[in-house]
């Protein structure tokens, strides 16, 4: 998915194709570790969340505790930003200038994570550490659905990504 917020704010260079955000999508036999938070949102907060995450399919999904067996019932329901399609974009939301679409990038498109966004995610996962950080690095793949984040970063991207700083106006949001 094209990161609509960062492309719209001019924070990423569309020509590099390093413009992708992160989303979940169904994949047979796959799982990942994530943090689950018990958050109560009022209507205004829920509306603000959906506005920030424009373009995603906001879905509920069951989650299990790390120490639960495979047959254990879910510990609860969580909200995820899931993959969607350009046809599902809200009225008036268009692909950023110079890009053919938001969703539906081909596996060989060259689409890569937005550096400032990936840095933010890596810093947040470093704070969690342990199994969550390992899952993020080894269970998250690029648009090609083969290259893990760990492989991508080991291929020389880590230094560039970690050197990027968000603009001052976004430092709190993208500071990890």
């Amino acid at each position: 998915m094209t990161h609509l917020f960062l492309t719209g704010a001019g924070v990423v260079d569309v020509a590099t194709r390093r413009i992708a955000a992160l989303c979940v999508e169904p994949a047979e036999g796959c799982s990942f570790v994530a943090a689950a938070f018990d958050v109560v949102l009022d209507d205004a907060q829920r509306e603000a969340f959906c506005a920030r995450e424009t373009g995603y399919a906001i879905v509920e999904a069951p989650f299990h505790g790390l120490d639960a067996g495979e047959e254990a019932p879910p510990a609860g329901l969580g909200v995820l930003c899931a993959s969607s399609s350009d046809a599902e974009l809200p009225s008036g939301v268009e692909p950023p200038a110079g890009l053919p679409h938001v969703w539906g990038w081909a596996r060989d498109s060259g689409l890569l994570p937005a550096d400032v966004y990936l840095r933010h995610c890596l810093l947040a996962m470093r704070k969690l550490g342990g199994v969550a950080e390992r899952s993020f690095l080894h269970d998250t793949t690029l648009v090609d659905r083969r290259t893990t984040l760990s492989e991508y970063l080991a291929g020389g991207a880590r230094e560039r990504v970690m050197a990027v700083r968000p603009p001052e106006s976004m430092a709190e949001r993208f500071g990890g």
Side-chain angles (χ1 to χ4, degrees):
M1 173 204 183
T2 304
H3 200 299
L4 290 173
F5 178 76
L6 293 177
T7 54
V11 174
V12 294
D13 180 4
V14 172
T16 67
R17 295 268 170 117
R18 291 194 308 258
I19 57 173
L22 183 67
C23 69
V24 297
E25 61 185 24
E28 189 68 34
C30 296
S31 65
F32 65 95
V33 174
F37 300 95
D38 190 11
V39 179
V40 178
L41 300 177
D42 63 29
D43 289 343
Q45 291 168 321
R46 185 173 288 104
E47 189 174 309
F49 170 76
C50 290
R52 274 193 314 274
E53 306 303 341
T54 295
Y56 288 105
I58 307 299
V59 300
E60 284 188 330
F63 64 87
H64 300 267
L66 286 176
D67 54 359
E70 288 191 30
E71 302 302 319
L77 284 176
V79 174
L80 297 170
C81 293
S83 59
S84 189
S85 71
D86 283 8
E88 298 297 319
L89 291 173
S91 177
V93 175
E94 302 290 331
L99 296 176
H101 41 75
V102 173
W103 293 99
W105 289 89
R107 291 176 185 228
D108 63 353
S109 66
L111 185 71
L112 294 168
D115 289 344
V116 69
Y117 178 71
L118 179 55
R119 176 184 175 273
H120 162 68
C121 294
L122 291 168
L123 292 173
M125 295 311 296
R126 183 183 297 158
K127 287 179 186 176
L128 287 174
V131 68
E133 183 178 22
R134 284 190 302 278
S135 177
F136 181 68
L137 292 170
H138 300 288
D139 296 334
T140 304
T141 59
L142 303 185
V143 73
D144 67 8
R145 309 305 194 273
R146 288 187 321 270
T147 307
T148 66
L149 280 180
S150 180
E151 292 166 337
Y152 173 65
L153 294 167
R158 181 179 302 277
E159 292 75 22
R160 183 191 68 246
V161 167
M162 297 311 289
V164 167
R165 296 295 183 268
E168 190 62 36
S169 63
M170 297 178 189
E172 185 174 336
R173 180 174 181 180
F174 288 98

